[in-house]
Amino acid sequence: MEKTLSFSLSPLFLLLLFSLVQGQNPKCDTQDHGSTLEVFHVFSPCSPFRPSKALSWEESVLQLQAKDQARLQFLGSLVAGRSVVPIASGRQIIQSPTYIVRAKIGTPPQTLLLAMDTSNDAAWIPCTACDGCTSTLFAPEKSTTFKNVNCGAPQCNQVPNPSCGSSSCSFNLTYGSSSIGANLVQDTVTLATDPIPGYTFGCVAKTSGPSTPPQGLLGLGRGPLSLLSQTQNLYQSTFSYCLPSFKSLNFSGSLRLGPVAQPIRIKYTPLLKNPRRSSLYYVNLVAIRVGRKVVDIPQEALAFNPATGAGTIFDSGTVFSRLVAPAYVAVRDEFRRRVGGKANLTVTSLGGFDTCYTVPIVAPTITFIFSGMNVTLPQDNILIHSSAGSTTCLAMASAPDNVNSVLNVIANMQQQNHRVLFDVPNSRLGVARELCTK
């Protein structure tokens, strides 16, 4: 029995999944140490990109879903081999990732916030004199180590739509109704206490349209110009992160760069290589278990296919996990069966979430079964609740019909409070439960 739910709920401060205790202040001025950076949610009190006004729970859910829609369009464009990064039409929603870190750019260093993104490669940073940029800007004229990349440099062929109107290299990105123009440059980038001389990134000179992400971007993909490619000697193409829950007062997790101090007791699954989209972190998802039951999913719904881009990826920028339709329906139906039981509970919907309840429920665990590794998600990773606790939704959905629907995405809500380790030299990805929320 299903119906569409209408809400009249009290506003939340910032986001659907957290509320701050009045009178307590988060620690926003803590320092990064060694090769470890603090990770903040983009809507945390430490972020200048949080919403300017309080949103109701329903509004927050719908905004995050719209953001995910744009993100999935972006991932779909990668899989399809297009260079355009689409944006949900008519909405001021960006595809930019959800978690940010601090970085120091130039000499002397200027501190900026960069969004960490496992599905992008090149970094780009808004610079002074940028036409249309709205956030803190990097001032290259104040850096003694700044320089432009020449047109003949190999890096100029590794960016989208390069051009050489002068002796220096520039490039353009399209974000649906928005566009970004940037100069390809090099400067010292310091992450935690590690200076990286001559780091190549895009210095954003012009943006247009309502959808341009305000913060810079730190690409953690596997392709050219990514952090891993430019720091192979320093970090040996290895990093891990622990993403904090939205409920955390301080919203602080960690990004750990390099093989030192990575977890030893951790289960791994092989990373799969897609030559067409080398940046994405594909893994082999073989089954999904709801409670104790492995649900019936057609093999082709989970199969890895480099030609079509089908398969499963880990992505730090999508909020709620999306499964191709046959996989999602199998998981959803078993979840509903176990939650409803003989009580025949009414199932409601909210936006893209089609499995919500207005009474307290006891939810089963959901286990993603990968080659060599099982990841069992507790309720905090699979349910979202209204501020009053009166409504609960299963926090995953089917891939939207208007995007490439061959990709399963393990998203950041399902990764929260887990250490996710990307070991590229050994072509493996590890996951271990870790309470990184402070």
Side-chain angles (χ1 to χ4, degrees), residues 14 23-24 36 97 117 119 201 235 265 274 313 375 412 414:
L14 299 182
Q24 289 184 295
T36 300
D117 188 352
S119 297
F201 60 91
Y235 298 133
R265 307 184 73 174
N274 182 347
I313 66 167
V375 178
N412 63 49
Q414 282 64 52

Side-chain angles (χ1 to χ4, degrees), residues 57-123:
W57 185 71
E58 182 186 30
E59 290 172 332
S60 298
V61 172
L62 294 176
Q63 275 214 9
L64 286 176
Q65 287 180 345
K67 177 184 180 298
D68 262 7
Q69 172 86 356
R71 178 70 180 180
L72 291 162
Q73 287 178 312
F74 160 65
L75 294 173
S77 74
L78 292 183
V79 169
R82 298 191 300 271
S83 62
V84 173
V85 183
I87 295 297
S89 60
R91 300 288 297 276
Q92 291 194 18
I93 301 295
I94 61 175
Q95 69 83 27
S96 63
T98 319
Y99 288 94
I100 55 178
V101 296
R102 284 183 295 250
K104 295 177 180 178
I105 318 295
T107 308
Q110 303 171 42
T111 301
L112 286 88
L113 295 174
L114 306 182
M116 49 178 278
D117 188 352
T118 56
S119 297
N120 267 301
D121 292 328

